[in-house]
Amino acid sequence: MKKFQILVVEDDAPVRNLITTTLRAHDYRFITSGTGEGAVMEVASHNPDIILLDLGLPDIVEVIRRVRSWSNVPIIVISARAEDNDKIDALDAGADDYLTKPFSVEELLARLRVTQRRLALIQNVSNEQ
Ligand code: CA
């Protein structure tokens, strides 16, 4: 079975390290970016399976819109509680799900599993057509 590749977009090194350590321990592949601009380039060049996107970065809703203009890749935004309005904008712009900081490793893995199940469903439907 192919390993899922996750694009981790987060400028805070401790949060990014927590995520990448978790991914490595659970057999995911990953690439990282510390900026929204870099994220758009990574999506274009690496075509990841899922994006974890820090909502605290500047112009992040615009980043989601740009990615959505050519890609259906699932986007999970990572938000702080103070960013509730941004979370709504992010979902409206095309994000699929969100995680609120601080989150546990178990919740992160559960969100990824949910997203992988959705991807598998979409794949099955398109194979049947
Ligand atoms: Ca951040």
Side-chain angles (χ1 to χ4, degrees):
M1 207 179 97
K2 112 179 169 124
K3 284 190 188 183
F4 273 76
Q5 186 179 55
I6 318 291
L7 169 59
V8 182
V9 187
E10 171 63 79
D11 61 343
D12 306 313
V15 179
R16 194 172 59 224
N17 289 342
L18 170 71
I19 294 171
T20 56
T21 302
T22 303
L23 294 177
R24 191 181 291 120
H26 291 84
D27 224 25
Y28 290 99
R29 293 184 298 141
F30 60 86
I31 44 181
T32 62
S33 174
T35 66
E37 193 63 32
V40 173
M41 284 168 52
E42 293 293 345
V43 176
S45 55
H46 289 101
N47 194 25
D49 298 298
I50 299 172
I51 304 176
L52 289 169
L53 188 60
D54 174 16
L55 194 55
L57 291 169
D59 303 323
I60 213 66
V61 170
E62 186 54 32
V63 168
I64 295 169
R65 286 206 187 95
R66 283 174 63 192
V67 169
R68 274 291 166 267
S69 68
W70 88 89
S71 171
N72 287 321
V73 58
I75 299 173
I76 303 173
V77 291
I78 302 174
S79 75
R81 290 203 187 281
E83 297 163 341
D84 259 356
N85 284 333
D86 298 338
K87 189 164 73 187
I88 293 163
D89 289 343
L91 290 167
D92 282 341
D96 298 278
D97 202 354
Y98 62 88
L99 266 170
T100 303
K101 289 179 191 173
F103 54 85
S104 66
V105 162
E106 287 72 23
E107 184 179 3
L108 168 63
L109 291 168
R111 296 284 182 184
L112 290 174
R113 287 195 299 270
V114 167
T115 305
Q116 286 175 271
R117 282 201 299 274
R118 278 188 202 144
L119 282 171
L121 276 176
I122 293 165
Q123 200 118 52
N124 284 342
V125 169
S126 56
N127 286 346
E128 282 162 16
Q129 280 168 351

